[in-house]
Amino acid sequence: MYKMLAIDIDDTLINDRKEITEGTKLALEKALAQGVTVTLATGRMYASAKQMAAQLGLNVPLITYQGSLVKNSEDGATIYERTVPSEAAHHIFEYCERNRLHLQTYLEDILYVQADNDKSRDYAALSKIPYTVYPEFRELADKPSTKLLIIDDPGRLDEVAVELRNEIGHLVHITKSKPHFLEIVNREGTKGHAIRFLAERFGYDMSEVMAIGDSWNDHEMLEAAGFGVAMGNAVDSLKEIADYVTLSNNEDGVKHVVEKFVLQTI
């Protein structure tokens, strides 16, 4: 029934040890052998997502930067891209500078930060991607960013999200991928937009698409897919809109749902 699987990475595909289990790899290998298109749909950079795709032997377009950039894993060709509008980018750079918030920007799959600090280092360790320190950071507001990311305490970011949505919500899509990550992308740069684009490219009806995620930034793709799956460790708001809630990322939740609904072995 399902011809395409779109799977989030953090807290979905990988467990809390940041690993893809052998059971999950085997289930996805079997799905691939049956002709199912398996892709990743993540807020991560393309370079980071490609590392994960290599572990699974995926040779398909990858949905990255929340859906703002879709690139082939084989040759790196860009097939879908939406950047943050210039007006919104300048507003966010000024806002973060004024409020002393840690802001990161992504240009041509390079991560730029203003300073070498704990937030920069911790993020780089999580994504396994290096960063470039750019002291004249404000200059980068003039460049077409694939994504802007603010890192701070969850409560503070909730306040920031409300303020920015009131000020520039008509220009950008603002979402959380983790409690301490606030991500800003083009309004057409969501995972929902990206999986619709890929499904059409492959000739699949959306009823043939399954999406699996754990956080609220996944809700657009769960709503777009014919079958939306929330992980057992997902936020409650995502579970409420999901068609099915699987096991957690530490219990091989992806493996379970693939075996149950794609391979139909359990």
Side-chain angles (χ1 to χ4, degrees):
M1 180 184 296
Y2 300 108
K3 297 181 179 179
M4 176 174 143
L5 298 180
I7 309 170
D8 174 53
I9 293 179
D10 293 290
D11 301 312
T12 299
L13 177 68
I14 61 175
N15 58 26
D16 289 352
R17 296 185 298 277
K18 314 304 179 189
E19 300 168 338
I20 308 173
T21 68
E22 290 304 316
T24 295
K25 288 179 183 177
L26 180 59
L28 292 175
E29 284 175 7
K30 290 179 178 178
L32 289 167
Q34 289 187 9
V36 177
T37 299
V38 179
T39 188
L40 304 180
T42 179
R44 292 188 182 209
M45 303 166 63
Y46 169 76
S48 180
K50 187 175 180 180
Q51 294 176 9
M52 290 292 174
Q55 293 184 44
L56 297 170
L58 301 184
N59 201 9
V60 295
L62 303 175
I63 298 168
T64 62
Y65 294 101
Q66 301 300 351
S68 294
L69 182 67
V70 181
K71 294 177 71 172
N72 291 333
S73 58
E74 183 177 18
D75 59 10
T78 297
I79 60 174
Y80 183 89
E81 184 175 19
R82 298 290 186 273
T83 57
V84 178
S86 177
E87 178 185 346
H90 280 87
H91 183 97
I92 292 164
F93 270 76
E94 190 278 328
Y95 177 93
C96 289
E97 184 178 298
R98 186 174 71 248
N99 291 281
R100 297 185 177 181
L101 291 165
H102 177 88
L103 177 67
Q104 301 181 171
T105 186
Y106 303 78
L107 305 170
E108 297 181 353
D109 217 37
I110 298 173
L111 167 60
Y112 289 94
V113 299
Q114 187 168 16
D116 184 3
N117 56 31
D118 288 343
K119 290 184 174 67
S120 301
R121 290 190 287 271
D122 289 348
Y123 182 87
L126 172 66
S127 61
K128 295 182 172 58
I129 289 295
Y131 54 88
T132 298
V133 177
Y134 200 94
E136 301 302 320
F137 195 64
R138 190 73 176 271
E139 294 178 357
L140 298 179
D142 294 324
K143 307 290 185 181
S145 297
T146 312
K147 182 179 77 172
L148 298 172
L149 173 65
I150 304 172
I151 302 177
D152 211 290
D153 294 331
R156 176 64 180 123
L157 290 184
D158 289 339
E159 298 172 357
V160 170
V162 171
E163 292 174 7
L164 289 179
R165 286 190 183 108
N166 287 335
E167 295 167 357
I168 55 170
H170 60 294
L171 296 174
V172 291
H173 177 73
I174 301 170
T175 191
K176 270 190 169 184
S177 57
K178 286 182 175 291
H180 49 291
F181 291 170
L182 188 68
E183 312 210 2
I184 301 102
V185 296
N186 187 290
R187 287 186 62 82
E188 295 182 354
T190 74
K191 295 182 182 183
H193 285 88
I195 68 167
R196 286 191 183 94
F197 170 81
L198 271 190
E200 182 177 357
R201 186 179 179 89
F202 283 111
Y204 301 148
D205 186 84
M206 290 307 296
S207 65
E208 300 171 313
V209 177
M210 178 190 294
I212 312 172
D214 74 286
S215 194
W216 188 241
N217 67 307
D218 297 313
H219 85 271
E220 288 91 358
M221 74 169 180
L222 263 66
E223 291 172 335
F227 194 67
V229 178
M231 300 296 291
N233 53 290
V235 296
D236 289 341
S237 54
L238 194 71
K239 290 179 180 178
E240 290 171 2
I241 68 163
D243 297 303
Y244 182 79
V245 178
T246 186
L247 302 176
S248 77
N249 65 316
N250 290 321
E251 300 170 301
D252 276 345
V254 170
K255 170 181 177 287
H256 173 78
V257 78
V258 170
E259 289 180 342
K260 184 176 180 66
F261 295 103
V262 179
L263 306 177
Q264 298 184 341
T265 56
I266 59 173

